[in-house]
Amino acid sequence: YEGFTNTDLLALCSMDQLNRMVRSTVDAEIDAALELLHSLANDYDVSYEDHHADNRKGYVTSMIPRLLRLAPDRPEQADRTENILGIWTGLLSDEVEIYDEETVDNQARYARAMLRHNVNGVLERFAVDSSNRNIRSSSAKVLVGIGHALNASLTMAMKDASGPHASVGRMGLVYGRD
């Protein structure tokens, strides 16, 4: 998928179609969709000093339980599990230095949904017990990403609560409500 933009890739199939493919019972279809979702979740560019592009797609919280079920820690499923962990790593990455409210909100909403579905418990087990070094490392990165996403959301909300537009008596925790 290198050389193509999200627009190019999503012209071939929509996010809805990709999510339907992930819900399929055909392994080849699931794996193809996961590879494309991995590319879309990691579509950000931090290579230039003055240029930061964030075109990530895939903050679909309803897909978290399905992705979790598709991520067993078995050697024969390592590629699939690594793809799913790569999706989560990309969506929660804080490498892009310029955050906008929408990104912070998307990441926090996604991180909270992951916690509701006990993804953190599975990731903790993978990070400690997996026989695959890549799965251990990626699981730890996702756990760090969850913490960073929640912290960024809280930090932004606290700045708003104390900023010039804050109202007396308002908590200000408005980012990422779900």
Side-chain angles (χ1 to χ4, degrees):
Y1 308 111
E2 285 185 35
F4 292 96
T5 64
N6 274 347
T7 306
D8 296 334
L9 295 173
L10 291 175
L12 300 172
C13 61
S14 70
M15 289 299 292
D16 288 339
Q17 288 171 319
L18 286 172
N19 290 329
R20 278 195 300 276
M21 289 172 66
V22 170
R23 289 185 184 102
S24 170
T25 58
V26 179
D27 283 339
E29 192 173 332
I30 293 167
D31 291 330
L34 290 173
E35 281 187 42
L36 186 50
L37 287 169
H38 182 262
S39 294
L40 295 170
N42 286 277
D43 188 7
Y44 57 90
D45 182 9
V46 293
S47 60
Y48 304 106
E49 280 188 35
D50 296 333
H51 175 73
H52 301 280
D54 189 352
N55 300 306
R56 291 177 277 190
K57 302 281 188 247
Y59 294 101
V60 182
T61 58
S62 63
M63 290 300 295
I64 291 171
R66 176 68 177 158
L67 292 174
L68 187 58
R69 283 190 301 277
L70 290 171
D73 185 23
R74 294 191 304 254
E76 68 275 7
Q77 295 287 327
D79 289 343
R80 180 179 283 182
T81 301
E82 287 179 28
N83 252 335
I84 292 167
L85 293 171
I87 291 168
W88 289 339
T89 300
L91 291 176
L92 297 174
S93 174
D94 64 349
E95 288 184 45
V96 179
E97 292 178 21
I98 299 173
Y99 280 109
D100 60 9
E101 290 179 15
E102 183 180 1
T103 300
V104 171
D105 189 46
N106 284 338
Q107 288 182 326
R109 183 175 288 115
Y110 202 81
R112 280 192 303 279
M114 292 175 84
L115 294 176
R116 277 194 305 276
H117 293 289
N118 195 34
V119 172
N120 57 311
V122 172
L123 293 173
E124 288 168 9
R125 187 172 41 83
F126 284 1
V128 173
D129 296 333
S130 179
S131 60
N132 183 312
R133 186 168 48 114
N134 292 335
I135 290 175
R136 284 194 316 269
S137 174
S138 295
S139 295
K141 284 180 187 175
V142 176
L143 285 168
V144 168
I146 290 171
H148 283 208
L150 296 173
N151 184 57
S153 177
L154 182 59
T155 299
M156 187 174 284
M158 290 169 59
K159 284 181 183 176
D160 277 2
S162 63
H165 302 291
S167 61
V168 177
R170 184 181 129 210
M171 285 204 37
L173 299 176
V174 296
Y175 293 96
R177 280 191 182 165
D178 42 42

